[in-house]
Amino acid sequence: LSACQHRLPGQEGIAVTPEALAVVARAATGSMRDAISLLDQITAYGHQAVDAELVRDVLGMVSGAAITDLTDAIASGDPPSVLHKLHELIGQGVELGQLVNQLIDHFRSLLLLNVGRDPSLVDLPDAMLV
């Protein structure tokens, strides 16, 4: 883990990266109770270090790169590629409900960026706004 990490209150010895906390916050959609529940679910596996990849794995989420690849395939009008990417994700154990939610969030961000032309309208890391 990076030097910048947080200790969960009441969970001595569990370090959480800021990126992991951001993924949990997005997944909890603004609900503190849901965020705490998600953190409890993630730490129940006995991990002493929690990073964004672990959070995505435990919650059945898809990486940002996979969402971008799938979105690009959809936008290019290439049904075989879309089906192939979906098949890969399903094979990896991705939860389809979670995938749909992530796609909706991604399409919403793209819409806001394309129509509003203002990066402050979306909650994305600077690296994704390039």
Side-chain angles (χ1 to χ4, degrees):
L1 292 177
S2 68
C4 181
Q5 50 185 287
H6 301 279
R7 299 258 176 222
L8 292 176
Q11 298 285 330
E12 185 73 29
I14 298 175
V16 182
T17 65
E19 294 83 14
L21 292 174
V23 173
V24 169
R26 262 189 227 105
T29 61
S31 167
M32 180 63 86
R33 184 177 303 195
D34 288 350
I36 292 169
S37 176
L38 290 173
L39 283 172
D40 285 342
Q41 179 182 349
I42 293 161
T43 58
Y45 287 89
H47 296 281
Q48 296 302 308
V50 177
D51 61 9
E53 184 177 342
L54 176 63
V55 172
R56 285 188 195 98
D57 287 346
V58 171
L59 299 180
M61 297 175 79
V62 181
S63 72
I67 291 291
T68 300
D69 289 346
L70 184 56
T71 302
D72 289 346
I74 292 168
S76 70
D78 184 5
S81 180
V82 171
L83 292 174
H84 177 73
K85 291 178 187 318
L86 282 173
H87 181 73
E88 284 180 357
L89 292 171
I90 291 167
Q92 295 169 8
V94 168
E95 293 184 26
L96 293 180
Q98 187 65 254
L99 174 62
V100 169
N101 288 337
Q102 285 182 263
L103 280 171
I104 290 169
D105 189 48
H106 186 71
F107 284 130
R108 178 187 175 277
S109 295
L110 290 174
L111 179 67
L112 287 171
L113 288 171
N114 284 322
V115 174
R117 307 241 184 253
D118 182 0
S120 70
L121 295 173
V122 295
D123 182 25
L124 292 173
D126 291 338
M128 291 186 74
L129 294 173
V130 177

